[in-house]
Amino acid sequence: MRPLLRAQRYVWQASPVRLLARILLVVAAGLVPVALAWLTRTVLDRIGDPSAPLLAPALALACAGVAAAMLPQLNGYLGSQITRTVTLAAKDRLFGAIGRLRGLARFEDAAFHDRLRMATHGTSGPADLVSSVLGAGQGALTIVGFLGTLAVLNPWMALVVVAGAVPTLRAELTLSRDRARVDFALSAAGRREIFYADLLTSVRAIKEVRLFGLGGLFRGRMLTELRAIDAGQRGADRRELLAQALLGVTGAVIAGGGLVWAVVAARQGRLSVGDVAVFVAAVAGVQGALATVFSTAGRGHHAMLMFGHYCAVVDSEPDLPPPASGQVTPVPELRHGIELTDVWFRYRDDLPWVLAGVDVVIPAGRATALVGLNGAGKSTLVKLLCRFYDPTRGSITWDGVDLRDFEVDELRRRMSVVFQDFMEYELSAAENIAVGDLTALDDGGERVTEAARRAGCDPFLRELPHGYDTLLTRIFLDAADRDDPRTGVVLSGGQWQRVALARALVRTHGDLLILDEPSAGLDAEAEHQVHERLRDHRRGRTSLLISHRMSTIRQADTIVVLGAGAVVERGGHDELITAGGEYARLFALQAAGYRKAVEVS
Ligand SMILES: Nc1ncnc2c1ncn2[C@@H]1O[C@H](COP(=O)(O)OP(=O)(O)OP(=O)(O)O)[C@@H](O)[C@H]1O
């Protein structure tokens, strides 16, 4: 009952006037069929009686006919208006709730994605539920009117029709529960089907799909998922068909029996011709209205189950726990440094430890570098610093205060990060940089160009057909722009990387700059330039650089080497080379590669 009240509240808040209008229409639509039947009876009986006035009931019958024709259209129109308005508000609420999830763990959970899919279907739930209640109310009015009619003509018939409806109600509720269960069971298959369909069309995947000839494989897998969905739904359809056929036959037998009784009663003079007409209309009306009530109750039940998923997402608890002290501490300007103390972390309880007792200090105003083999846990450590997850054990402090005591958005505002897997937004070049700090859009683009200059992308962005206003996409263009090849452009991987770097550098007020492989895709000259500029930019600032290019690492004040989830070495470049450990080994390996290349050339 609570989801129903909540749905009604949502609809009332989003569209009160239309809801009131719809209620009035529903009352009218519920009573008009009964009025039509009684007016038909009156007209038929008066045709054979020249003394009785006929014009008024005939006109009233015509008017009722017009109303019967118009009301469903008006109801449908108003219903769609309400559905659209309420769905928009519900979607806004849903995505607001998703936006309140500050961590990453939920988004990596398949069960959460299934629920999210159901919740997205559930955004029309409030309107569907209220529609079902109104539909059921309309049917109930018609039933009451016609049952009254039947009770006058043949009380037994009224009883038989009502008794025949009980199995229909039970069947409809079972069927809707069955439908919702099938939908939920198939949602993982639906997710996989979308994934394979996406691989077959996405720009990112298409190169490998074509080169390795993967189209057949992914199409096959997509079809397998679709067949599984089809089989699941076909089963539900069959159960529905069987139940409805049985119910239909029961209804027809009752109506047929009633008709025979009415005809015999008329022949015996117990009913007039008008009575027979109103009796037939009443039996059909009650059965029709009952069917409508039950199918709307079934749809309402289904909508309620979907709406339940919606409510579960909207009401979900925050994924990052609030401070243990109950008090949020304002994030101070970083003066001393960030300290990781005995940090242990794994992505899930059933997965191995990624970090196992890491102790690292990132001193304020100094450049720290993080080195380690693939999978050593460097990017994971960055995600912990950004508080996308909390350490499973141990703590991370910012000038001595645990990160968990800060408001997470405020903490993130103090950081600039270039992620290894940065985003390529289908936006203009200026917006692609300004997403790092949206206020940069307000000052005429000066900070955007300054950041682009530092990241080394200003020269080629200036040269674009519309400069910084050029869209960095060829896909999401407006219809009018599609024929103009100059409107959107595609950047190279290295150019994108510089744009992503500019995005981090535009955030000038950050206390901590994190660069996770910022130059992996750059050519040698660009890499040199970018690192020269970055060195100037990082001077006096707190930064953490992750790179497999040892030449860029060596300038850091402190180098931390991660291995098997723990710190294996730390120190300055010269110190670590002298120590002859893991860092010296990696450095020598890379240097030997370059030396060999030079000798060969
Ligand atoms: N979201 C995730 N869920 C589960 N495991 C993950 C997740 N992200 C990373 N891992 C695992 O954590 C380990 C460390 O990954 P991480 O990306 O931190 O390594 P890295 O040192 O940055 O590696 P690389 O040098 O290749 O970028 C890997 O074994 C990886 O499989």
Side-chain angles (χ1 to χ4, degrees), residues 19-87:
L19 180 61
L20 281 178
R22 181 120 201 255
I23 290 172
L24 289 179
L25 284 182
V26 157
V27 171
L31 294 178
V32 157
V34 184
L36 263 178
W38 280 100
L39 285 167
T40 307
R41 174 186 186 260
T42 310
V43 168
L44 285 179
D45 284 349
R46 288 187 185 181
I47 286 173
D49 179 2
S51 62
L54 189 59
L55 191 60
L59 275 177
L61 182 60
C63 291
V66 171
M70 291 297 296
L71 283 170
Q73 323 298 334
L74 282 174
N75 237 328
Y77 172 77
L78 218 52
S80 334
Q81 300 267 319
I82 293 176
T83 301
R84 277 200 297 275
T85 313
V86 175
T87 303

Side-chain angles (χ1 to χ4, degrees), residues 467-515:
Y468 279 76
D469 293 329
T470 310
L471 277 179
L472 302 187
T473 175
R474 288 290 310 151
I475 292 180
F476 288 114
L477 300 180
D478 289 339
D481 296 335
R482 218 163 269 154
D483 297 333
D484 180 356
R486 300 177 316 130
T487 319
V489 297
V490 177
L491 295 186
S492 76
Q495 288 173 328
W496 264 118
Q497 192 147 33
R498 283 187 253 179
V499 170
L501 184 58
R503 189 179 296 160
L505 299 182
V506 79
R507 193 174 264 224
T508 43
H509 55 269
D511 285 337
L512 173 64
L513 176 66
I514 300 177
L515 305 163

Side-chain angles (χ1 to χ4, degrees), residues 338-344 355-362 368 370 381 384 393-397 558-563 565-571:
I338 297 165
E339 190 167 352
L340 290 87
T341 312
D342 192 26
V343 167
W344 290 69
L355 302 178
V358 169
D359 292 300
V360 171
V361 177
I362 303 169
T368 305
L370 204 53
L381 194 145
L384 290 180
R393 283 189 227 153
S395 67
I396 306 178
T397 56
T558 312
I559 298 163
V560 177
V561 185
L562 269 189
V567 175
V568 290
E569 277 177 321
R570 84 189 80 209

Side-chain angles (χ1 to χ4, degrees), residues 108 347-348 351 354 372-381 383 389 420 516-517 546 548 562:
E108 292 169 344
Y347 282 92
R348 276 199 330 253
L351 290 178
V354 176
L373 299 180
N374 292 135
K378 304 178 295 296
S379 299
T380 302
L381 194 145
K383 288 191 262 181
Y389 311 90
Q420 195 177 12
D516 191 352
E517 288 290 357
I546 297 174
H548 291 295
L562 269 189

Side-chain angles (χ1 to χ4, degrees), residues 518-540:
S519 57
L522 300 189
D523 60 59
E525 194 179 321
E527 187 188 9
H528 177 73
Q529 283 173 1
V530 163
H531 276 286
E532 284 297 304
R533 290 200 192 102
L534 274 179
R535 197 170 48 192
D536 292 343
H537 181 77
R538 290 164 69 202
R539 195 165 292 132

Side-chain angles (χ1 to χ4, degrees), residues 264-481:
V264 170
R267 173 59 67 84
Q268 292 168 349
R270 285 185 284 130
L271 293 182
S272 68
V273 175
D275 287 339
V276 175
V278 83
F279 179 84
V280 171
V283 173
V286 172
Q287 286 186 333
L290 278 171
T292 310
V293 168
F294 295 153
S295 68
T296 45
R299 276 205 304 278
H301 187 239
H302 184 260
M304 185 134 86
L305 295 171
M306 292 294 154
F307 187 52
H309 291 293
Y310 171 91
C311 294
V313 175
V314 168
D315 299 340
S316 54
E317 292 290 312
D319 50 347
L320 297 175
S325 62
Q327 287 248 301
V328 176
T329 314
V331 187
E333 192 183 321
L334 188 68
R335 292 189 182 285
H336 305 292
I338 297 165
E339 190 167 352
L340 290 87
T341 312
D342 192 26
V343 167
W344 290 69
F345 179 76
R346 57 183 167 193
Y347 282 92
R348 276 199 330 253
D349 291 349
D350 55 338
L351 290 178
W353 292 105
V354 176
L355 302 178
V358 169
D359 292 300
V360 171
V361 177
I362 303 169
R366 316 277 287 170
T368 305
L370 204 53
V371 189
L373 299 180
N374 292 135
K378 304 178 295 296
S379 299
T380 302
L381 194 145
V382 168
K383 288 191 262 181
L384 290 180
L385 285 173
C386 298
R387 217 185 151 209
F388 288 126
Y389 311 90
D390 284 328
T392 318
R393 283 189 227 153
S395 67
I396 306 178
T397 56
W398 173 288
D399 277 356
V401 181
D402 197 301
L403 293 192
R404 285 170 281 211
D405 288 339
F406 295 133
E407 208 275 304
V408 70
D409 285 344
E410 203 195 327
L411 174 72
R412 289 177 189 162
R413 269 195 291 276
R414 294 198 165 263
M415 297 180 177
S416 300
V417 188
V418 178
F419 291 109
Q420 195 177 12
D421 51 351
F422 57 83
M423 270 300 294
E424 297 172 5
Y425 294 100
E426 316 259 352
L427 300 171
S428 73
E431 286 170 327
N432 253 292
I433 295 174
V435 288
D437 180 356
L438 289 174
T439 60
L441 282 175
D442 305 333
D443 66 358
E446 190 42 48
R447 280 164 59 205
V448 168
T449 31
E450 178 52 34
R453 242 178 261 132
R454 281 214 213 103
C457 54
D458 176 64
F460 69 80
L461 291 183
R462 242 173 232 291
E463 294 298 312
L464 294 177
H466 298 288
Y468 279 76
D469 293 329
T470 310
L471 277 179
L472 302 187
T473 175
R474 288 290 310 151
I475 292 180
F476 288 114
L477 300 180
D478 289 339
D481 296 335

